[in-house]
Amino acid sequence: GKMWCHARMVYLPMCYVYCKRFKADVENDPLLQSLRRELFKEDYNTIDWNSTRQLCCEIDTYSPLAPVMKVAQDFLSIYERYILPNCAPLRSLRQKALDFVIEYIHAEDKQTNYVDIGPVNKALNMLSVWIDAGMNSKTEAFQRHIPRIDDYLWVAEDGMKMQGYNGSQCWDTSFAVQAIVEGGLSEEFPECTKKIYSYLDRTQIATDEDNREYYYRHVSKGGWPFSTAAHGWPISDCTAEGLKGVLALHKTSLISPRHRISDERLQDAVNVILTLHNEDGGWATYENNRGYGWYEMFNPSEVFGDIMIDYSYVECTSACITALVGFTQALPTHRSAEVLNAIQAGRHFLKSIQRADGSWYGSWGVCFTYGTWFGIEGLIAAGEDPTTSENILRATQFLLKKQNVNGGWGESYMSCVNKAYPGDGTGPFGEDNSGVVQTAWALLGLLA
């Protein structure tokens, strides 16, 4: 329960399938046989799996296994093969653990309407409930999984793809409506604006789950998700941007007081934001930071870094600060001291993680342009004077130095990999090293 929820929810069904020693009947299935021939360069039956335990393609090794993890994997291989089979108390303990694991998997399925937190645990949860039912596909749990597969699928120009989430609908809509209102366009497009409000109204999570704490779930009631209400996992910055979208529409004449989201529901949203506030002053994603940095030594995934615990981020922190500031303007008496303290703690956190060159490393977009836009907006909302603040001046100088000759900004994904601004701008993804997205982010920061 102290791990980051995305890692936790993936390793949960992985451990179930492994510990149940599930094996498909590959020998009698021509499709699985053909997959083996396609996926492996050598004959599958000749592979020495012990020797490949820690093998990873060099281009995929973003976060190499720590030495302690390599030792742990070697020990666990011996444990599984020789110690566990010969120790009845350990086998009994494992069975109790697996009973909890499959119970937890069923709870995650129900809490997310069988969408699950992401596509990997969705597929593995499906497999787990099928194994749990004695490989019976007629059970209600398995059947309810099937219609939710489509949530993750889309047809691209070169065929069927599975996306990494069931969409970004609420996130995109929240930003879109803020832009519409700020641009003075809400009155010109009343039908569009009202539909957006209706969507945000329906997408706010209305209740907390039963046995929430038993399954390590954070408070949900009042939050907004990244995608849809069915998904059921609220996130700090998605809740913040959803709240900002609603507050922006309340400033227009289009939403009558009788049809507005109630003050109590806005307060529920703020409660989610405040309960997600970390001790370091910043905000993480789905949950508070529950664990410790040394957990990363046990990260078994070479392709992802910093996934074992939830961290505070510039983007989440800035979004929460700006939402709390907007909320205080609408409902100034609700938990006013707590809200003010949270805003100022967030302000100090943003200052503490600003880099020497004035930028912020963005973790959820590419990358320094994105993070710096959020950093600037968060500090100004928290009370920094843009004309005198050293942090703001350094941030704007960073953006101005990165402007290209053609007036735009560009940044390739290599910023995220190397944690340094790339010298070639967007690389092959822009026009003369500039791209429209990074240019927009830089302008938003400078406009602020």
Side-chain angles (χ1 to χ4, degrees):
K2 293 186 177 183
M3 290 174 64
W4 187 41
C5 54
H6 266 285
R8 178 170 83 239
M9 302 315 294
V10 167
Y11 298 144
L12 196 72
M14 282 179 70
C15 83
Y16 185 81
V17 174
Y18 176 81
C19 293
K20 296 293 282 189
R21 295 298 192 268
F22 170 71
K23 291 183 180 180
D25 185 11
V26 182
E27 307 307 323
N28 296 310
D29 191 319
L31 174 61
L32 296 181
Q33 287 282 359
S34 68
L35 282 171
R36 277 189 174 177
R37 289 191 295 272
E38 179 183 334
L39 291 171
F40 297 98
K41 296 199 307 184
E42 56 273 89
D43 183 345
Y44 181 90
N45 295 312
T46 67
I47 299 173
D48 177 10
W49 291 106
N50 281 331
S51 68
T52 65
R53 183 177 301 126
Q54 286 144 9
L55 187 66
C56 185
C57 181
E58 184 178 351
I59 197 172
D60 291 326
T61 308
Y62 176 72
S63 179
L65 292 180
V68 66
M69 188 60 185
K70 293 181 179 181
V71 172
Q73 287 185 346
D74 289 337
F75 168 75
L76 289 170
S77 176
I78 296 169
Y79 174 86
E80 292 290 335
R81 188 171 301 178
Y82 301 111
I83 301 175
L84 182 70
N86 298 306
C87 183
L90 288 175
R91 292 199 303 275
S92 175
L93 190 62
R94 167 157 294 183
Q95 186 54 53
K96 288 182 180 179
L98 285 177
D99 291 342
F100 173 73
V101 167
I102 192 63
E103 180 187 321
Y104 194 169
I105 288 169
H106 284 298
E108 158 75 351
D109 290 344
K110 291 176 182 176
Q111 287 163 355
T112 61
N113 297 284
Y114 294 82
V115 176
D116 295 321
I117 198 170
V120 178
N121 87 310
K122 161 70 175 174
L124 290 168
N125 278 19
M126 261 187 99
L127 181 59
S128 296
V129 299
W130 181 69
I131 295 169
D132 177 50
M135 290 168 279
N136 178 7
S137 62
K138 303 300 183 184
T139 64
E140 180 186 0
F142 188 82
Q143 287 295 315
R144 289 185 68 179
H145 262 291
I146 293 173
R148 286 300 189 178
I149 295 172
D150 286 353
D151 287 49
Y152 289 105
L153 301 179
W154 59 287
V155 180
E157 294 84 348
D158 55 346
M160 180 71 79
K161 302 293 177 73
M162 176 172 272
Q163 55 190 357
Y165 219 80
N166 70 322
S168 55
Q169 297 91 314
C170 189
W171 179 252
D172 298 339
T173 303
S174 300
F175 276 107
V177 74
Q178 290 176 65
I180 289 169
V181 173
E182 283 186 30
L185 300 171
S186 57
E187 305 288 343
E188 291 188 40
F189 300 97
E191 192 67 23
C192 168
T193 305
K194 289 177 181 178
K195 284 183 177 180
I196 289 175
Y197 191 83
S198 174
Y199 181 78
L200 292 176
D201 183 4
R202 298 193 313 273
T203 308
Q204 188 182 20
I205 297 170
T207 59
D208 275 315
E209 304 86 354
D210 295 333
N211 298 323
R212 172 180 60 80
E213 293 180 352
Y214 184 69
Y215 297 114
Y216 315 111
R217 292 272 293 199
H218 194 79
V219 173
S220 297
K221 184 182 178 184
W224 271 276
F226 186 57
S227 54
T228 62
H231 185 275
W233 279 89
I235 309 174
S236 64
D237 54 351
C238 299
T239 300
E241 299 300 344
L243 177 61
K244 286 160 63 177
V246 170
L247 292 173
L249 286 168
H250 283 184
K251 294 178 181 178
T252 72
S253 60
L254 293 170
I255 313 300
S256 68
R258 192 161 57 91
H259 295 112
R260 286 186 175 186
I261 292 172
S262 68
D263 289 351
E264 288 74 21
R265 286 175 59 187
L266 300 181
Q267 291 165 8
D268 287 340
V270 167
N271 178 58
V272 171
I273 293 173
L274 290 176
T275 58
L276 283 168
H277 197 198
N278 279 329
E279 290 183 3
D280 63 9
W283 276 265
T285 57
Y286 297 81
E287 299 163 341
N288 302 86
N289 182 343
R290 301 172 175 181
Y292 303 94
W294 59 262
Y295 286 16
E296 297 298 344
M297 291 193 297
F298 293 96
N299 178 5
S301 173
E302 295 96 332
V303 297
F304 295 113
D306 299 332
I307 62 168
M308 297 300 284
I309 59 175
D310 212 345
Y311 296 91
S312 293
Y313 297 98
V314 59
E315 301 99 319
C316 298
T317 302
S318 175
C320 290
I321 288 173
T322 51
L324 291 175
V325 169
F327 176 79
T328 58
Q329 295 167 357
L331 295 170
T333 60
H334 180 73
R335 300 178 68 174
S336 55
E338 294 173 74
V339 169
L340 179 61
N341 288 337
I343 291 170
Q344 294 310 313
R347 177 186 193 172
H348 294 306
F349 172 77
L350 290 179
K351 288 183 175 183
S352 74
I353 62 168
Q354 187 178 20
R355 291 164 67 116
D357 63 1
S359 69
W360 281 269
Y361 178 85
S363 295
W364 303 103
V366 180
C367 163
F368 292 102
T369 322
Y370 189 66
T372 303
W373 158 46
F374 273 100
I376 290 172
E377 289 210 336
L379 285 181
I380 291 175
E384 289 287 305
D385 184 341
T387 62
T388 60
S389 168
E390 180 200 347
N391 300 86
I392 300 294
L393 293 173
R394 283 197 290 123
T396 53
Q397 285 301 309
F398 170 82
L399 290 176
L400 292 172
K401 287 177 183 176
K402 300 303 180 185
Q403 188 176 22
N404 294 320
V405 175
N406 64 1
W409 281 260
E411 192 177 354
S412 79
Y413 73 95
M414 292 306 295
S415 276
C416 309
V417 178
N418 297 326
K419 293 182 168 57
Y421 199 92
D424 62 347
T426 59
F429 306 112
E431 188 72 27
D432 293 332
N433 291 335
S434 294
V436 65
V437 175
Q438 271 85 26
T439 301
W441 288 337
L443 287 174
L444 284 166
L446 293 172
L447 285 166

